[in-house]
Amino acid sequence: MQRFLPLIAATLAIGFASAALAQAPKPEEEIRYRQSALNVMGRSFGALWAMSQGKMPFNPQLAADSAAIVEMMSKLPWNSFGPGTDKGAPTKADTKIWSEMDKFKDKADKMQAEVRKLAQTAKSGDEAAIKAATGDTGKACKSCHDDYRLKEFRQ
Amino acid sequence: MQRFLPLIAATLAIGFASAALAQAPKPEEEIRYRQSALNVMGRSFGALWAMSQGKMPFNPQLAADSAAIVEMMSKLPWNSFGPGTDKGAPTKADTKIWSEMDKFKDKADKMQAEVRKLAQTAKSGDEAAIKAATGDTGKACKSCHDDYRLKEFRQ
């Protein structure tokens, strides 16, 4: 059952203090994990975005389900940008992240705040409000991507 | 905002019928998506597993948070094993999946049933029950991995 390791990685993923634990995830595992969470988040946000742009029929259940996924995923990547995780696998994370960590975390916090509003709004089924909250969230995503996500993978 | 595409992919991810929609995700996007969901699931399950094995102190909040992530992720990968997604990017998915789809889906369903029990149990904070449900879920994961997950990536 070694396949379920790395064990300790899981603790970081949800913000549990791991100082007392011996085994930290490897940089390539952290890179893969944050990419995974952001990929899952991006697909569900894609549905919300398509609905907000009229490219897909508005579906309140789909909106609520998608926003719940986005909300859960929005919490996960940030602890995987720790020291030493700036390289180790192909990544689009700009190295500026590690020299501007406070600014980066601030943008991540702002995105999460918008996502919380979006997820709350999505439960209401109010189409106009959901579309507006999707736009606000998209802006928060874009603000961080513009500053900290490279267009191409680097090593 | 094209970065939030593929839009349609999101609909598949949560089981929304997409027949009326023009753009399907590419095989490599499906492969990456299912890997992402399973990776996020695996990390949170790793925490539950470590606690169940006494390799990490039992923490009821961590258990409940982890199980909630595992439950949400457990629903997402299966629609991304559609026709034509057996190749297109490095994958550990055995090609048997596509010739034994009913058996594969059956195992996926069984895993999801165990995960639902685990997530429900995890809310109780009952250490022994959570550890037992973690074991049952681990067996369901392993049963599918043994049959359908290769040890190495293939193209």
Side-chain angles (χ1 to χ4, degrees):
Chain A
M1 304 294 273
Q2 295 299 313
R3 67 189 56 186
F4 297 120
L5 309 184
L7 309 172
I8 305 317
T11 62
L12 294 171
I14 55 177
F16 182 70
S18 69
L21 301 167
Q23 187 189 349
K26 294 175 190 164
E28 62 264 35
E29 291 164 341
E30 291 290 56
I31 291 170
R32 185 165 158 249
Y33 181 73
R34 65 199 192 207
Q35 288 171 342
S36 293
L38 290 162
N39 184 26
V40 172
M41 178 160 58
R43 188 175 280 212
S44 287
F45 189 72
L48 289 155
W49 185 255
M51 289 188 279
S52 80
Q53 299 295 298
K55 300 191 180 196
M56 218 166 78
F58 180 75
N59 175 316
Q61 188 61 53
L62 178 65
D65 290 349
S66 298
I69 294 170
V70 170
E71 185 181 25
M72 186 172 271
M73 292 305 98
S74 75
K75 302 170 187 171
L76 303 184
W78 317 113
N79 282 319
S80 293
F81 285 92
T85 66
D86 56 323
K87 59 186 177 184
T91 175
K92 289 185 181 172
D94 196 311
T95 53
K96 276 194 302 176
I97 290 170
W98 287 268
S99 58
E100 300 177 6
M101 189 53 79
D102 287 351
K103 248 183 89 182
F104 176 70
K105 285 281 170 75
D106 186 55
K107 284 184 185 266
D109 288 346
K110 282 185 178 141
M111 181 275 284
Q112 289 177 81
E114 296 296 349
V115 166
R116 278 193 296 273
K117 279 189 248 172
L118 171 61
Q120 200 57 41
T121 305
K123 288 179 192 162
S124 73
D126 178 337
E127 182 172 347
I130 293 168
K131 289 181 173 180
T134 298
D136 290 342
T137 301
K139 280 179 201 152
C141 297
K142 185 176 186 300
S143 166
C144 195
H145 289 172
D146 284 349
D147 282 359
Y148 294 114
R149 189 172 73 165
L150 302 173
K151 299 215 184 302
E152 304 292 337
F153 282 101
R154 63 173 177 83
Q155 285 294 330
Chain B
M1 302 294 273
Q2 295 298 314
R3 66 189 57 187
F4 297 120
L5 309 183
L7 309 172
I8 305 318
T11 62
L12 294 172
I14 56 178
F16 182 69
S18 68
L21 300 168
Q23 188 191 349
K26 295 176 190 163
E28 63 263 35
E29 291 165 342
E30 290 290 56
I31 291 170
R32 185 165 158 248
Y33 181 73
R34 66 202 192 205
Q35 288 171 342
S36 293
L38 289 162
N39 183 27
V40 172
M41 179 160 57
R43 187 175 281 212
S44 286
F45 189 71
L48 288 155
W49 186 255
M51 288 189 279
S52 80
Q53 299 296 299
K55 298 191 182 198
M56 218 166 75
F58 180 74
N59 175 316
Q61 187 62 54
L62 178 65
D65 290 349
S66 298
I69 294 169
V70 169
E71 185 181 26
M72 185 172 272
M73 292 304 99
S74 74
K75 303 171 189 172
L76 302 184
W78 317 114
N79 282 319
S80 294
F81 285 93
T85 65
D86 55 323
K87 58 186 176 181
T91 174
K92 288 185 182 171
D94 196 311
T95 53
K96 279 195 301 178
I97 289 170
W98 287 269
S99 57
E100 301 177 5
M101 189 53 79
D102 287 352
K103 247 183 91 184
F104 176 70
K105 285 280 170 74
D106 186 55
K107 283 185 186 265
D109 289 346
K110 281 185 180 142
M111 182 275 284
Q112 288 176 81
E114 295 296 349
V115 165
R116 277 193 296 273
K117 279 189 247 172
L118 171 61
Q120 199 57 41
T121 306
K123 288 178 192 163
S124 73
D126 179 336
E127 181 173 346
I130 293 168
K131 289 180 175 181
T134 297
D136 291 342
T137 302
K139 280 179 202 152
C141 297
K142 185 175 185 303
S143 166
C144 195
H145 290 172
D146 284 350
D147 283 357
Y148 295 114
R149 190 173 72 166
L150 302 173
K151 298 213 185 305
E152 304 292 337
F153 282 102
R154 64 174 176 82
Q155 283 295 328

